[in-house]
Amino acid sequence: MGIKYPSTYKMESYIIKKEDKTEKKAPVTNAVKLVGKVINYYETPSVYIVSLLIPYSKGTDKFQANFPKIYFFKNDNTGADKIVLHDHVEIEAHVAAPRKNRANGDVYYSQAIVGDKIKLSSSVYEKEFGVDGGNIYPAPENCVFLRGKVRKVEQVAKGVVNIVMNARNKSYNNVVLVTSFRQDAILNAPGDEIAVYAIVTTHRKEKNGKAVFYENIVARKIDNLSKKQAASVKNEPNK
C-alpha cells in the first residue's frame, strides 16, 4: 500500500533548503591576463624578464602587435624559470607601481607589469583531439582589469585623458596611470570609484640609437561605480 498524504500536502514544505556555502569572490581590483609568444627572455640576479608578442588587428588585413614586458621575481615561484625563447605562454599578472624618490627629493611611481604566474599554452588541436597538431595555440589575449578610487584626472592633449587611480593588489596599493582616448573620461573626479577594462600598448621610439618600447595602460571601457550607485539610490522608491 502506498502512503496517503493529506490533501493539503505540499511537497516544497518537506524540502530542506541547503545552506549556501558558496564563497563569494572579492571584486577584481588589479589583474592582467596576457597570452602570446615569448620574443625576449633574460634574467638578472633577482628577476626573470619576459617580453611577449601579442598581435592585434585594427579592422584591416594588416596585423600590428604590442610587446609588453613582464617582470617575474625569482622568490615568487611563478614558473618563469621553465620558460624559453619562442614559447607560447599564458600569463597572470598585475600592474605594480612602487613609490620611488628622485635625487632631488621628488616622489614618482615606476609603473610595470609584475607576473604572478606563467605557463606554457596547450596546443588547441592536441587539447581537442588528443594528438599533436603542431603550433596551433589559443588566440592572443591582452586584458587589464582595474578597480579603485580616482586620485587625479588630467587632460594632457586633445582627446587624451590621463587618470591616476588606486589599484590594490592583495595588501599593497598601487598608484596606476591609465590613459583614455575618450573625451568623457574627464568627467571622472578624484574620490570616484571606477572600474576599468584596458589593454597594454607599446610604442617604439629611438633612444641613443636603440629601439625602446614605452608601455601604457590604455582604457577600452571605464565605469564610474560611484555615480552608478548614487543614481541607483536616487531612483529607489520611497518606502
Side-chain angles (χ1 to χ4, degrees):
M1 266 179 84
I3 299 175
K4 291 183 178 180
Y5 294 103
S7 59
T8 56
Y9 168 76
K10 291 183 179 180
M11 180 61 76
E12 60 265 25
S13 65
Y14 286 80
I15 297 174
I16 299 174
K17 290 184 178 180
K18 293 182 179 180
E19 184 181 353
D20 185 5
K21 294 183 179 180
T22 305
E23 185 178 349
K24 292 183 179 179
K25 292 184 178 180
V28 172
T29 55
N30 187 338
V32 179
K33 175 69 182 293
L34 303 170
V35 177
K37 183 178 180 180
V38 177
I39 58 167
N40 198 8
Y41 178 91
Y42 61 98
E43 63 180 290
T44 71
S46 59
V47 297
Y48 298 102
I49 302 171
V50 176
S51 293
L52 295 187
L53 182 152
I54 304 180
Y56 69 95
S57 172
K58 286 189 174 181
T60 65
D61 293 335
K62 185 178 180 181
F63 278 83
Q64 298 183 357
N66 287 305
F67 306 92
K69 181 184 292 185
I70 307 94
Y71 297 83
F72 295 88
F73 288 97
K74 291 184 176 180
N75 291 336
D76 289 346
N77 191 28
T78 59
D81 57 317
K82 300 177 179 64
I83 301 303
V84 297
L85 196 64
H86 305 311
D87 277 345
H88 196 282
V89 297
E90 300 175 21
I91 293 174
E92 295 176 12
H94 63 277
V95 183
R99 177 186 171 113
K100 295 186 177 182
N101 294 298
R102 292 193 172 92
N104 62 3
D106 289 345
V107 174
Y108 71 101
Y109 295 92
S110 178
Q111 187 162 296
I113 301 172
V114 174
D116 300 310
K117 183 180 179 181
I118 183 171
K119 66 177 183 178
L120 292 173
S121 298
S122 299
S123 165
V124 175
Y125 193 93
E126 184 176 358
K127 184 178 179 181
E128 294 299 326
F129 297 107
V131 294
D132 185 6
N135 299 326
I136 304 175
Y137 294 111
E141 286 190 49
N142 184 350
C143 303
V144 181
F145 301 96
L146 303 169
R147 177 173 175 165
K149 287 191 175 182
V150 174
R151 296 170 65 105
K152 181 181 178 182
V153 181
E154 181 182 12
Q155 177 135 12
V156 294
K158 185 177 180 180
V160 183
V161 177
N162 279 348
I163 298 177
V164 180
M165 63 180 291
N166 293 329
R168 185 169 293 278
N169 175 62
K170 297 178 182 178
S171 61
Y172 188 81
N173 182 60
N174 294 283
V175 179
V176 178
L177 172 63
V178 177
T179 299
S180 174
F181 294 103
R182 289 181 58 94
Q183 187 57 41
D184 58 2
I186 198 70
L187 300 176
N188 297 288
D192 287 349
E193 184 177 7
I194 61 174
V196 178
Y197 163 63
I199 65 170
V200 184
T201 67
T202 53
H203 301 280
R204 186 179 187 274
K205 293 184 179 180
E206 295 290 330
K207 186 176 182 180
N208 299 326
K210 294 183 179 180
V212 179
F213 291 93
Y214 292 89
E215 287 185 355
N216 292 290
I217 305 297
V218 177
R220 289 289 184 260
K221 179 177 174 60
I222 300 176
D223 272 332
N224 192 305
L225 304 179
S226 295
K227 291 181 179 178
K228 281 190 173 182
Q229 183 179 15
S232 176
V233 171
K234 183 179 179 181
N235 293 330
E236 283 184 0
N238 295 326
K239 295 182 180 180

